[in-house]
Amino acid sequence: MLWTHTFIPTLKETPEGAEIPSHVLMLRAGMISQVMAGAYTYLPLGLRALRKAEHIVRQEMDAAGAIELLMPAISPISLWERSGRVEAFGEVLIKFAVQRPGRKVHMALGPTHEEVITDLMAHRISSYRQLPVTLYQIQTKFRNEERPRFGVMRTSEFLMKDAYSFDATLESLNESYEKMYAAYCRIFERCALEYLPVEAESGPIGGDASHEFMIPAENGEDTVLHCRDCGYAANQERAEIGTRDCSRPDVPEQPLHKVATPGVSTIEQVSALLNIRPRDLIKTLIYEADGRPIAVLLRGDHEANEAKIRRAAAVGELTLAAPEVIEAVTGAAVGFAGPVGLAGKLPLYADHDVRAMVSAVTGANEADAHLTGVCPGRDFTADHFADLRNAEDGDPCPRCSSKLTQRYAIEGGHVFKLGTKYSEALGARFLDHAEQQQSIIMGCYGIGINRILAGLIETNHDAHGIIWPVSIAPYEVLLVPMKTGDEATMQAANRLYADLQAAGVDVLMDDRDARAGVKFNDADLIGIPLRIVIGPRGLKDGRLEVKWRWEREPSMLPVEGAAAAIAEWMHHERAGSARFRKARSIAAD
RNA sequence: CGGGGCGUGGCGCAGUCUGGCUAGCGCGUCUGACUGGGGGUCAGAAGGUCGGAGGUUCAAGUCCUCUCGCCCCGACCA
């Protein structure tokens, strides 16, 4: 492709509103253009990168035995009512009605396709002989994100590969799941992405039933906990905490004392007023667990983990109690609850770390007052001790004796053993060996194609621009003739351009009549992995200049045989990104 | 949904607090000349409903009211 024939509107300055590197660089490199909050046009360069990612995903899905199909973005709202997800999704589900002669048809834009595909299988699968099967599509999804942000990372319309497995038995589901898991590893590797599969909340099947494929990145929206020694990795919602030292420090207990704290209710306010650390407080949260109030006690600097609380209390539904309920239970407004005197009124669930606290500060269960010198065991007794909080950096690993490291990450993919949730709701059953009706056991597997690009740029760029690996780069080679007016230069450039194309290399030639600085700066910005400069200077000696985007200095190559040599490099780099990986790992040190 | 910020030629910004003449600057664009290996120089030119509506005033980019959009933080996220 010739630069002057395509459309690459690069930007010299950072557009207002773009903050993180991937967003800034995709805009500046002329890959995307914003249409509205959460919706972007993919310009030619961006589309090419997107297609490359899509191609890798498709190849690996096919290789793993998944079968491609394509479902519509629109579907009848009735399907979503049957699965109960109209309520579950709420405003995130984009719903609308269209007028047909004499009636209105209600529909939704698919945020995912469990309902559509399960309905399909309900009609077309009837026997165990038709199972297992895994189907996938690469399709645009719609979610009315409450807060779209970070460029293409969180948008209301995005490209997703979603796959669904259908099995007759749990063992078979596990096999389908393993195949997808392995395919995901290959996909992220081929995209040259650093990735971390982490355990995620597993829903109805429990156990090892859900993994997220995380791309560690400073600007990631998710938090993961990772043990570098044993490899344990989980998202923050899921991460367990190893055995903690809960012994009480050998300090004298203070007497219980009530202090006036008018209008001071948050952890920050109380610790500032009393000149103590947040960790010296006991945070008392009142939840409604299946409709009954319970109290959850945490150290002041810790965060509640509702999944853990739900498990510890063995309940299904868990929500923070409404202010009226809190007042009725504790006798004080929100922000002044405390465990002292609460025992017997409702169950007290305490996090393990509370056990080690001496002379803590808590709410006094009366307006505008807190208690100091509160000692667990002496002043109140918890009914249960459990792991109830989010894991944090430095917490003990649950699998070995090491410590967990906290990292931010972008969720690039998710694999999930669904079980029979949708097949039961939508009547997708089959007849087994024993002529018994069974619900099909399902799994679902998603990859955000746009996030592959955002994740790559987020983790591979420098002050000048993007650094693409060959496998995803919009073009593999950028050919830069230094002087478009010089006949010898253009002859050599055109010939190399044709030879590279003939050798199957994706080549872009910057044939603009522009100054060297302009071309070089744009080259760095759009990040094509290999830059080839042809100019009168090198041509005198029959040589041209080659430079990988991640290298500082160029090297010279004879014009004779250059096309073949470059094609060979590309062939290797496409497959394994060996040069890219090596350069990036050196840069990381 | 709560908190904060921003809307001024294609892009990035100044001007708004303290109302006042033809609304500036940089980049980009166009024409011509010189130039030609990291955003070059000179000469000339085009291009703006100051997000929108209403109001105050002799006078509004600037003050008031409403409204639309965008960004960030938080809450939320099958």
Side-chain angles (χ1 to χ4, degrees), chain A residues 383-406:
Chain A
D383 299 295
H384 308 275
F385 280 101
D387 174 13
L388 301 176
R389 66 169 173 90
N390 282 341
E392 294 174 354
D393 198 60
D395 275 333
C397 174
R399 300 283 182 273
C400 74
S401 58
S402 189
K403 284 190 186 330
L404 294 172
T405 308
Q406 182 174 311

Side-chain angles (χ1 to χ4, degrees), chain A residues 184-230:
Chain A
Y184 274 41
C185 292
R186 283 193 299 273
I187 288 166
F188 283 88
E189 268 157 31
R190 285 184 60 187
C191 293
L193 272 166
E194 191 196 335
Y195 70 99
L196 192 62
V198 308
E199 292 180 18
E201 272 309 311
S202 52
I205 294 222
D208 202 19
S210 173
H211 291 87
E212 289 170 344
F213 282 73
M214 295 293 201
I215 304 162
E218 229 168 278
N219 289 307
E221 294 184 290
D222 293 280
T223 304
V224 301
L225 282 299
H226 181 210
C227 175
R228 289 174 195 278
D229 288 324
C230 73

Side-chain angles (χ1 to χ4, degrees), chain A residues 394-569:
Chain A
D395 275 333
C397 174
R399 300 283 182 273
C400 74
S401 58
S402 189
K403 284 190 186 330
L404 294 172
T405 308
Q406 182 174 311
R407 307 177 78 175
Y408 294 107
I410 300 163
E411 184 186 344
H414 196 168
V415 293
F416 197 100
K417 295 179 191 173
L418 275 177
T420 55
K421 177 178 172 183
Y422 296 99
S423 50
E424 271 172 25
L426 298 166
R429 289 182 287 270
F430 67 98
L431 222 47
D432 68 11
H433 278 93
E435 301 178 0
Q436 297 295 306
Q437 285 269 335
Q438 305 281 357
S439 289
I440 304 179
I441 304 174
M442 294 174 56
C444 67
Y445 316 90
I447 288 187
I449 309 284
N450 316 260
R451 284 185 175 181
I452 291 178
L453 303 194
L456 263 175
I457 298 171
E458 209 53 52
T459 49
N460 296 287
H461 65 270
D462 63 16
H464 304 286
I466 302 169
I467 302 176
W468 290 115
V470 166
S471 59
I472 301 294
Y475 292 95
E476 297 167 331
V477 171
L478 178 65
L479 191 51
V480 186
M482 277 322 302
K483 215 173 167 179
T484 51
D486 182 69
E487 206 175 305
T489 300
M490 287 318 289
Q491 224 165 42
N494 282 324
R495 189 167 156 218
L496 182 59
Y497 177 63
D499 287 350
L500 285 172
Q501 279 189 325
V505 176
D506 274 341
V507 55
L508 175 68
M509 178 154 78
D510 189 350
D511 58 336
R512 293 175 298 174
D513 178 21
R515 305 188 69 84
V518 174
K519 292 191 177 191
F520 288 156
N521 278 306
D522 273 348
D524 288 347
L525 180 59
I526 69 173
I528 306 303
L530 190 68
R531 190 188 79 187
I532 302 173
V533 175
I534 297 186
R537 217 179 260 183
L539 238 36
K540 276 192 317 222
D541 314 318
R543 300 196 300 173
L544 44 76
E545 173 191 308
V546 297
K547 186 178 96 65
W548 294 95
R549 175 63 180 83
W550 45 83
E551 281 176 346
R552 249 190 126 66
E553 298 300 330
S555 53
M556 303 306 286
L557 196 70
V559 175
E560 266 325 296
I566 292 163
E568 182 66 14
W569 296 347

Side-chain angles (χ1 to χ4, degrees), chain A residues 249 251 254 266-268 270-272 274-284 298-302 339 353-354 356-363 370-376 380:
Chain A
V251 292
Q254 304 289 319
T266 67
I267 297 284
E268 292 79 52
V270 174
S271 44
L274 301 179
N275 196 27
I276 54 172
R277 299 166 303 176
R279 59 173 299 154
D280 297 323
L281 279 92
I282 294 174
K283 194 192 284 193
T284 306
L298 300 171
R299 211 172 74 187
D301 58 330
H302 288 151
D353 285 308
V354 172
M357 297 179 77
V358 180
S359 303
V361 173
T362 74
H370 278 73
L371 298 175
T372 64
V374 176
C375 294
F380 71 91

Side-chain angles (χ1 to χ4, degrees), chain A residues 40-61:
Chain A
Y40 290 84
T41 293
Y42 274 79
L43 300 171
L45 216 51
L47 181 63
R48 286 187 65 93
L50 197 68
R51 290 283 182 254
K52 294 247 174 129
E54 197 183 318
H55 182 64
I56 289 176
V57 170
R58 181 173 282 119
Q59 279 189 332
E60 292 301 334
M61 282 296 111

